[in-house]
Amino acid sequence: MSQFTTLTSKLIPLPNNDVDTDQIIPARFMKITDKNGLAANLFFDWRYNADGTPKADFVLNMPQHQGSNILVAGDNFGCGSSREHAPWSLTSWGIRAIFSTSFADIFKGNALKNGLLPIEVSPAVQESLLALTEEAPSATVHIDLASQSFTLPDGSQHSFGIDPFAKICLLNGVDQLGYIQSHEAKIAAFEMAH
Amino acid sequence: MTPKTIFQKIWDKHVVHQDANSPAIIYIDLHLVHEVTSPQAFTGLRQRGLKVRRPERTVATMDHSIPTVPLSELKVFDSLAMAQLDQMATNANEFGIRLYGMDSPNRGIVHVIGPELGFTQPGMTIVCGDSHTSTHGAFGALAFGIGTSEVEHVLATQCLLQYKPKTYEVLVNGTLPAGVSSKDIILALIARIGVGGGTGHVFEYRGEAIRNLSMEARMTICNMSIEGGARAGLIAPDDKTFEYLAGKPYAPQGAAWDKAVAEWRTLPTDDGATFDKSITIDANSLAPMITFGTNPGMGMKITDRVPDPDTLTDPLAKSALDKALRYMGLQPGEALLGKKVDVVFLGSCTNSRISDLRLAAGLMKGRTVAEGTRLLVVPGSQEVKKQAESEGLDEIFKSAGAEWREAGCSMCIAMNGDQLQPGQYAVSTSNRNFEGRQGKGGRTFLASPLTAAATAINGVVTDVRTLIG
Ligand code: SF4
């Protein structure tokens, strides 16, 4: 898994509520057997016209957002299916952190396993982040996972919560399988008694 | 002893290990696998040189991208989907996993065949790389969807890391009126609490109206728990549960059966157990439901009118509704009753079981599908298909002008070529009305099998109560 320590980036506004995983990556692009090629299909139906040309008014197509790594979303981001193709497609496009007031459970777990940081903020902070994308579109936000905080261009600092276990995995870029495997003796004993 | 909920009882029995500040390691009794969310997990196993720890606790099928016209009649088939199906067969073979593949008479949607074959049992922990794994909660199992990384974890270790979710009681009192079914209960719940309402929680559906439902109707409710944001939804097992399971191929037999039933009887939530959250629904006041928007929470009574974004104060909620209505091509205040529908889809892991087909066929009998409307009937499994054919239901559908297909997910997810055309309206018995879910640009109204059949007959959105008099 890719490591996550700090990130400094401009913000990409996507102020939609309940963005579901079928929008993030439509099911027809899930006929793959690897994890490659997903960036091109991220938000496909919102991103391209029927003739395949990019929609100029969709945020990911705007020149000023190329190379940015942070999404500011509406409420309840990532609802719907369990497809891990959703975080795979987001990270392969370059998204490494998402601000929202809440995330769907399965999406959140999947994101954390793929070096993508879901940051839960209050509606007021969400509003100020969205305002920032309009008022100072080239300003950057700095995220520091170790101290669980992010800093806005005006210098104000905000803290955020994260599952302590996922935090350690992200900071070290290690996945969870190793942790489970290290308890092999307990699993074997459990199976005997179960 | 402190009274416990059924969730708590199952959870406690499956914790293998728990460190402070860490998720619990829980043991998984049954792992269901399908072709779309598993290939990368098997690749991971190969790269790490790992085996499947418990092949006998792992069951695979092909459902999502499988065609629903017989292979012999198939002219073109998507080579990517075919490669994915082939990969599933290769993986199952290489890792020694039981597979209900293309030629299997037991093949079907993973959440239909699990219960049908008796793999799904009360008190189990069940996972699958699929969010509608919640379906199996109807048997009093703790069942939820996982991502592909977790599929790999479970394949390798039979364990999963999980934080303990909170509990949410959904109490449904009273009796359902005629023409109203379990699909309407769950759509009404989600319309009330929203698609994020159950986030972080596990539902337990309780009350008289739930007790009175058949096992298949209970599965419909649990299936859509995830649409309310809850990863799992449970219903305590009772005599109906045991009756359903008795004699199923993989259910315990003989003395093992008696022992299992005795244990299953200890599962229901103890009197006095508490929930973190609770909601009460009066079944008597329910009506057939339909969705008007682009998530399952945007639903209403079929006789209601489409809401007006201008009445909402929260700017994000307002723009969400506005965007949904634009996508759906609907006006605020518009009635859906009488709206022309191009396609009716009867299928999916929500409503493709034999009782769903019987309900719909009962209404279709002696009637025909309206001119200009297409009715697609896709049984949930080959077993359901066979049963329906032995009862003559296929003849009822076919002579009414419907298409009668092989089992699969089909137009629920539109991965296999069964899909809506841009702009088309569909009434669907499936579980998701997200933009493009049933085909790019397609517009979905979610409803019950009865509403679907009534709509197919009239060609317009129809209140089934007007046909059952
Ligand atoms: S029928 Fe639809 S919801 Fe159910 S498993 Fe298949 S694709 Fe998923």
Side-chain angles (χ1 to χ4, degrees), chain B residues 64 109 111 130 132 348-349 409 412-413 431 437:
Chain B
H64 280 66
I109 306 174
H111 311 308
D130 192 287
H132 293 102
S348 90
C349 58
C409 295
C412 172
I413 192 164
N431 44 49
R437 170 78 178 190

Side-chain angles (χ1 to χ4, degrees), chain B residues 344-362:
Chain B
V344 172
F345 172 60
L346 180 57
S348 90
C349 58
T350 316
N351 284 123
S352 63
R353 298 183 179 82
I354 189 68
S355 58
D356 300 312
L357 302 188
R358 282 183 193 138
L359 273 178

